[in-house]
Amino acid sequence: MSSRERRSTADSQARARDRSLLEGLRRGEDEAFRALVDANTGPMLAVARRFLRNEDDARDAVQDAYLSAFRSIDRFEGDALLSTWLHRIVVNACLMRLRTRRRRPETSIEDLLPGFLENGRLAVSQSAKRDRADHVLEARQQRALVTDAIDRLPDIYRTVLILRDIEGFDTEQTAGVLELSVPAVKTRLHRARQALKELLDRQVFDRLEAAKNQDSAPLVQTAEEVDHEMP
Amino acid sequence: MKCREFVEFLMSYLDEELDDTARSVFEAHLNGCRDCHRYMEDYVQAVELGRSVCREPAGPVPDDVPEGFVQAILQARRAVGSRGK
Ligand SMILES: [Zn+2]
């Protein structure tokens, strides 16, 4: 069976499950709501935590999302999966909350964008010059570093990065939910990615330095120099 | 092309949005400038890392949803959602 066939089988199974669940929801059956909430709350919380970085806010957003979903369950068309529909709703609930909540002090994005010398050349930072040893960080450490770096991005950049690179919205959809123009989304996404790169450079560099200085069981095992050759 | 323009057009290049002329100017810089070459590789890697971290099954998808939270949601549902019956 090809992967596409497998996917479409899984998809049609999910649709069949949705159909019977939806009947229960529309009849107001408690078990149907329980099943819906059991299946979707984990993933929805994960989305909300990424956007809001705060457990209380994340839970409030998920609760808001459910309430708005429950109110509009009669209008759910069934052209998307229930999980996809809820995903869209929780993303919107998070964006709403981000717009209204008090701004937290944030790193300036300017500090994270590349600098240039007077002659227009890239000013390569110390941390970007490090050896290519990132890949020998353990997966768990690497995940923690990346999550932490995403969390440090200023809200307006983090939001675009999450929507485009993580939640799978395309540029037009992102522009739509954020009420921005397409070029504005592209500019923000590019800056967000540059800032993420810089943050990762710095964090990995710091780790490597710390490991070097400790001179004990290092985080980084001996890696071959992976310095690339220019063509 | 200077590094500054290279970095500015990097995303458009990766998204294949540059026209032929712009692309060949871009690639000429890419092939001649070690720093920008490295910058592009690290940029692409950062994007990939961001994507993969959140997709991984062992990633931050919580299986620890507190029962109290689920109950609060279901209770709120009964408060709003009984009009259908
Ligand atoms: Zn350059």
Side-chain angles (χ1 to χ4, degrees):
Chain A
M1 198 190 271
S2 78
S3 68
R4 178 184 281 178
E5 281 164 339
R6 241 193 323 272
R7 213 177 313 130
S8 75
T9 310
D11 194 60
S12 63
Q13 282 167 352
R15 278 170 195 284
R17 264 201 311 277
D18 269 14
R19 263 195 301 280
S20 69
L21 189 54
L22 200 54
E23 283 171 22
L25 294 171
R26 287 183 172 153
R27 283 196 296 265
E29 289 167 8
D30 283 350
E31 314 81 75
F33 281 95
R34 174 83 217 195
L36 182 80
V37 172
D38 276 346
N40 291 284
T41 305
M44 285 166 77
L45 260 181
V47 172
R49 284 175 183 157
R50 275 201 285 276
F51 277 104
L52 299 166
R53 301 183 290 196
N54 166 308
E55 188 62 22
D56 287 344
D57 283 357
R59 289 191 189 184
D60 286 348
V62 169
Q63 187 143 1
D64 290 352
Y66 273 119
L67 289 185
S68 103
F70 295 155
R71 284 196 201 95
S72 50
I73 196 81
D74 292 334
R75 277 172 283 140
F76 176 72
E77 298 284 355
D79 49 355
L81 292 173
L82 277 167
S83 56
T84 311
W85 181 64
L86 286 171
H87 178 245
R88 274 310 270 271
I89 297 177
V90 77
V91 166
N92 275 311
C94 291
L95 295 176
M96 195 95 82
R97 212 154 263 277
L98 277 175
R99 262 181 232 125
T100 55
R101 81 173 175 189
R102 210 153 49 97
R103 281 293 179 101
R104 333 179 327 150
E106 300 183 314
T107 335
S108 149
I109 192 89
E110 303 301 331
D111 291 347
L112 301 172
L113 297 178
F116 299 93
L117 308 174
E118 257 172 45
N119 61 9
R121 286 195 61 96
L122 193 60
V124 182
S125 61
Q126 192 64 26
S127 54
K129 276 189 221 154
R130 69 183 193 281
D131 292 341
R132 285 293 174 78
D134 344 6
H135 61 284
V136 294
L137 286 178
E138 275 175 41
R140 187 172 44 81
Q141 293 172 328
Q142 196 175 58
R143 195 160 46 231
L145 285 184
V146 178
T147 312
D148 185 56
I150 293 175
D151 280 356
R152 285 178 196 220
L153 295 173
D155 275 355
I156 62 167
Y157 297 97
R158 203 181 69 261
T159 307
V160 173
L161 184 94
I162 294 175
L163 286 169
R164 280 286 279 104
D165 286 346
I166 297 169
E167 304 302 338
F169 284 51
D170 65 25
T171 306
E172 282 74 18
Q173 290 169 328
T174 305
V177 292
L178 293 176
E179 297 173 15
L180 288 172
S181 68
V182 164
V185 167
K186 288 185 180 174
T187 305
R188 280 196 196 175
L189 177 63
H190 186 36
R191 292 181 143 217
R193 288 169 168 182
Q194 293 180 74
L196 178 64
K197 171 207 172 296
E198 177 64 25
L199 285 166
L200 289 173
D201 281 346
R202 289 182 193 176
Q203 287 176 332
V204 173
F205 181 76
D206 288 349
R207 288 255 177 161
L208 295 175
E209 289 296 295
K212 226 184 283 171
N213 294 337
Q214 266 179 9
D215 204 41
S216 60
L219 295 169
V220 181
Q221 296 125 19
T222 40
E224 286 171 8
E225 262 269 87
V226 216
D227 209 5
H228 68 268
E229 294 301 321
M230 290 303 300
Chain B
M1 176 178 269
K2 293 283 194 348
C3 299
R4 187 187 292 278
E5 286 89 36
F6 178 93
V7 170
E8 189 181 328
F9 289 115
L10 177 55
M11 192 170 84
S12 310
Y13 173 74
L14 294 170
D15 289 342
E16 299 183 359
E17 288 174 351
L18 295 182
D19 63 35
D20 291 352
T21 319
R23 193 176 60 244
S24 59
V25 173
F26 185 96
E27 283 172 350
H29 187 91
L30 176 64
N31 291 325
C33 180
R34 193 186 171 89
D35 293 340
C36 283
H37 196 279
R38 170 84 190 252
Y39 190 90
M40 184 170 91
E41 287 182 342
D42 287 351
Y43 177 98
V44 169
Q45 192 194 33
V47 174
E48 278 308 309
L49 281 174
R51 284 186 179 143
S52 64
V53 152
C54 300
R55 260 200 315 256
E56 278 173 47
V61 170
D63 44 13
D64 60 332
V65 180
E67 177 62 20
F69 181 49
V70 170
Q71 285 305 330
I73 292 165
L74 293 171
Q75 239 157 48
R77 194 282 289 184
R78 285 183 211 106
V80 285
S82 43
R83 81 204 139 74
K85 291 181 278 183

